[in-house]
Amino acid sequence: MSEHRPEYEELCAGYALGSLDAADRARLEAHLATGCAECEAALREFSAATVLLAASAPAAQPSAALRDRVMAAIGAEGARGAEATAAPRREPPAPARPARGAVVEMPRRSPWAIWAPVAAAAALAVTSVVAWIQSARLGAELAATRARLESLERSASADSAWAAVLGSPFARHALLEPTTAGDPRLRARASYDPGSQRAIVVFENLAAPADRDFELWVIRDGAPVSLGLVQPDDRGRAVLRLENVGISPTLSAFAVSLEPKGGSPRRDAPSGPVVMLGPLSG
Amino acid sequence: MSLQEQDIQCLQRAQAGDTRSLAELYDRYTPLLYPLALRILRSPADAEDAVQEAWIQVWKRAAAYDPKRGTVAAWLLTVVRTRALDRYRSLSSRARAEGKVEVDPVAATAEPSASATQGQLGARVREALATLAPQQRQVIEIAYFEGLSQSEIAARLQSPLGTVKSWTRQGLARLRELLPREEWA
C-alpha cells in the first residue's frame, strides 16, 4: 500500500471539487485504491464542504413550464424505449400515485442487484448532502433510538399530506432531549415542514404520574406556545400531527413540560417543570 | 423510511418506467438543483435547459446511480453540475468565437434573494465563504462553478500550481470548519 502523505490529502481537496488535472487524478485514485483511511476521511470532509458550495447558490425557482417540458420529454423518451436497463421495462400499476411514505412492492432480489456498477469519475464519494437535507435528524441521537422513532414517524405519515412533512427538502427537525428535570429515558423527535407549517412529533418512554400530563410547546418568537397535551399509549409512545405550527423564521425549539392533569392553565407558559427540550435545525 | 430510502425507491420505480416517481423526485429536488445551474450559467433559459437535460439523463440512466458513493441528492447535484458545466463551456467557446466579452462569473455573483428556508443555509454558506482568504475562495469557486482544472486556474490567476493546490485544500478545510455538523441541516 502506498503510504499516506500530506500531498495526497491536498489532492483529495481538488478531487472533491472535480478540479484535478488528469495526472494528479490518476495518482490519487491509485493511492485511494490501496485503501488509505486518512485520505478517505479527508475526502469525506472535503466532499461535504463541496456539497455545501451548491447550497451557496442564491435561491431561485425555474418557470412552471419547465416541469411540463421535462415530463413531456421523458414521455417521448419512454415511447421510444429508454436505454437498456437491467430491469425489464414494465408499466407500474396505473391508479393513484403512491403516498411518499407508503410501502411499495418492489421485485425482491438482492437489494442492489439492479444497480449496475459505475465508474463515472464525476460521481464523487459525496456522502454529505445528507447533512444538507436531514442531518439534524441524525444529530447526536443513537442509531437504535432513531430507528424506533423513524418507524413511529412512518406510521404517522401514512397519508401523503403528512408524508410530505417528512419528505420536504426544507423540513426542519428537532431532537428533544431530557432536561435535568426529566426522566433520562425520555425521547422525542419533531419534523416540521415550513411550506405547510405542519409538524409531526413522536415520543417514546413517556410515563406521566397518574395525576399529571405532558404538554408540548413550541418556542415561537422566543416565547412558549402550547401545542396541546401528549397522551402516550400503554407502551409510552405517542405521535402528534400538528397543523398551523407557525411561520418558519419565528420558530426556534420544541419543549415538553410536566403539568397538572389537563395541562397548564396558561396557553403561553408552562406551569410545571420543562422535562424535554430540542432546538429546531436550520 | 429515510429520505434516502424514499429517493432510492423513486429511482428504482423510475428505472422501471414509472414517470410519476420521476415527477416526485423532480418536485423534491429541483428547488436545490435549479439554483446551482443558474449560478453556473447565469441565464434562466440556459439553466432550465441544463436542468431539463439532467432530468432526462436521470430518467434514462437511473442505473448509473451507485448508493455506495453517496446519496441520491448528491448524485443529482453532480449530474446537474456536469450538464451545466458542459453547456457553460460550449456557450463560452461560442461567445469567444463570436467575439463577445465574457463576464467574469466570480465577480458577477448575484445577491442572495431571500426565499424560503433554503436561503437560510445558503446565507450561512455565503457568510462562511466571505470569511475565507480571497484566493482560497476564488480557487474553490472557479473550480466548482466554472469547472476549471487546477492547472487552468493556476494559469488564470498567474499563480504556481502548487499554490493553487494548497489554497484549494485550505479553503475547503476552512469552509468545512466554519460549518459545523449541527448547522448543516
Side-chain angles (χ1 to χ4, degrees), chain A residues 47-282:
Chain A
S47 297
T50 299
V51 166
L52 287 171
L53 284 174
S56 78
Q61 289 289 339
S63 68
L66 178 62
R67 190 182 193 281
D68 298 337
R69 286 211 307 275
V70 168
M71 296 316 293
I74 281 163
E77 289 290 339
R80 280 208 303 275
E83 286 180 12
T85 52
R89 294 186 68 77
R90 59 184 173 80
E91 281 309 306
R97 167 187 172 130
R100 236 167 232 180
V103 177
V104 175
E105 280 285 310
M106 290 298 297
R108 293 236 49 100
R109 281 185 274 160
S110 129
W112 308 121
I114 66 170
W115 300 109
V118 65
L124 297 174
V126 176
T127 55
S128 322
V129 83
V130 159
W132 183 352
I133 294 164
Q134 61 180 163
S135 94
R137 280 193 205 188
L138 309 180
E141 192 180 5
L142 295 171
T145 308
R146 186 173 71 240
R148 284 197 302 278
L149 293 173
E150 281 183 353
S151 131
L152 277 174
E153 262 190 359
R154 272 204 300 287
S155 62
S157 61
D159 75 77
S160 57
W162 288 102
V165 173
L166 303 180
S168 164
F170 306 121
R172 300 172 68 193
H173 305 278
L175 177 69
L176 281 74
E177 305 265 20
T179 63
T180 50
D183 182 326
R185 290 169 306 163
L186 288 170
R187 291 283 180 278
R189 187 177 130 92
S191 296
Y192 160 80
D193 172 36
S196 63
Q197 297 188 34
R198 289 173 160 182
I200 294 178
V201 191
V202 297
F203 300 82
E204 77 176 6
N205 305 333
L206 279 183
D211 57 341
R212 310 290 285 278
D213 272 327
F214 288 112
E215 187 163 2
L216 177 67
W217 306 82
V218 66
I219 311 304
R220 194 188 291 162
D221 289 323
V225 177
S226 174
L227 295 174
L229 299 182
V230 186
Q231 273 151 352
D233 64 16
D234 51 9
R235 293 152 70 201
R237 293 179 168 180
V239 175
L240 294 187
R241 299 175 183 79
L242 305 158
E243 306 217 33
N244 303 316
V245 175
I247 301 165
S248 185
T250 64
L251 307 182
S252 56
F254 286 95
V256 174
S257 65
L258 193 58
E259 299 290 343
K261 211 74 190 156
S264 169
R266 294 177 53 174
R267 232 192 132 248
D268 61 354
S271 67
V274 171
V275 292
M276 300 183 80
L277 187 62
L280 260 173
S281 64

